Amino acid sequence: MSDHKLLWFDTETTGTNPVENDVIQVAGQVIRNGQVAEEFNFKCQPFNYDTIHPKALEVNRTTVEQLREYDTPQTMYRKLLVIFNRHVNKYDKQDKFIACGQNVGFDKEFMNHFFKKNGNDYFFSYIHGASLCTLTMAAMLEVVEGKKIFTPNYKLETLCKCLGVEIEGAHDALADIVATR
């Protein structure tokens, strides 16, 4: 049996532009051989307090004062590298995480830019090009069924409600990834 490495993860950010805005929380579960091998939940300060969108903080229920208490982005980056290096050989093109999550393309882009802001252009040394995205899976179900199943949107909370999945504390990265998985 091959060792498929899945990285179910979610980010909370200071806006929707991965170049301008910053990651302030990343949480995830490393799945190996179908089992949770490791779980993490890190919060950090933004690189730039001037580009924070108040609506983003409102959504993830965070204040600027709370942000100032979090680790630096460099500390969170180092913590992530320890986990990633424990599970993936970044020099082996066949040894990568498959990124999984709700609208995971958003999170991958933010993490790619988070790595770049930390001086590392090689986020994708750890992450496979293919992803498992629950947003895409929900759309595929609608295509297969030939009708709109999830209404009125594809938001995580809506999908969870339609599928009978409990989600407590939505817009906290760890709560979101547990519900997504």
Side-chain angles (χ1 to χ4, degrees), residues 101-173:
Q102 169 70 6
N103 193 18
V104 74
F106 176 89
D107 301 295
K108 283 171 58 174
E109 274 304 304
F110 262 94
M111 288 307 297
N112 184 35
H113 285 281
F114 178 76
F115 268 56
K116 287 180 180 186
K117 290 172 185 179
N118 276 287
N120 182 338
D121 291 333
Y122 302 105
F123 172 69
F124 289 102
S125 294
Y126 296 99
I127 304 293
H128 193 282
S131 301
L132 294 177
C133 179
T134 55
L135 183 94
T136 303
M137 290 177 194
M140 288 175 63
L141 280 174
E142 289 187 353
V143 169
V144 168
E145 293 293 319
K147 63 184 178 198
K148 186 106 175 119
I149 297 170
F150 302 110
T151 57
N153 57 53
Y154 291 107
K155 292 179 180 178
L156 179 60
E157 290 173 279
T158 304
L159 295 177
C160 285
K161 184 176 180 183
C162 290
L163 295 170
V165 174
E166 293 269 335
I167 182 170
E168 291 186 32
H171 298 290
D172 171 81

Side-chain angles (χ1 to χ4, degrees), residues 1 6 8 12 14 18 23 32-34 50 53 61 65-66 77 90-92 95 112 114 116 119 145 152 168 175:
M1 175 180 182
L6 305 179
W8 287 87
E12 296 301 326
T14 61
V23 172
R32 296 185 68 171
N33 299 315
D50 295 333
H53 289 255
R61 295 177 305 280
E65 292 74 28
Q66 287 173 307
Y77 166 74
K90 65 184 175 183
Y91 300 110
D92 180 349
D95 188 24
N112 184 35
F114 178 76
K116 287 180 180 186
E145 293 293 319
E168 291 186 32

Side-chain angles (χ1 to χ4, degrees), residues 12-24 45-57 67 73 106 109-117:
E12 296 301 326
T13 65
T14 61
T16 58
N17 182 327
V19 175
E20 174 184 307
N21 303 119
D22 296 313
V23 172
I24 55 172
Q45 300 172 29
F47 284 94
N48 187 348
Y49 281 86
D50 295 333
T51 60
I52 295 172
H53 289 255
K55 180 70 174 165
L57 294 186
L67 290 175
F106 176 89
E109 274 304 304
F110 262 94
M111 288 307 297
N112 184 35
H113 285 281
F114 178 76
F115 268 56
K116 287 180 180 186
K117 290 172 185 179

Side-chain angles (χ1 to χ4, degrees), residues 21-41:
N21 303 119
D22 296 313
V23 172
I24 55 172
Q25 182 184 16
V26 61
Q29 294 179 329
V30 174
I31 309 299
R32 296 185 68 171
N33 299 315
Q35 301 296 315
V36 177
E38 191 157 0
E39 182 175 276
F40 59 90
N41 184 11

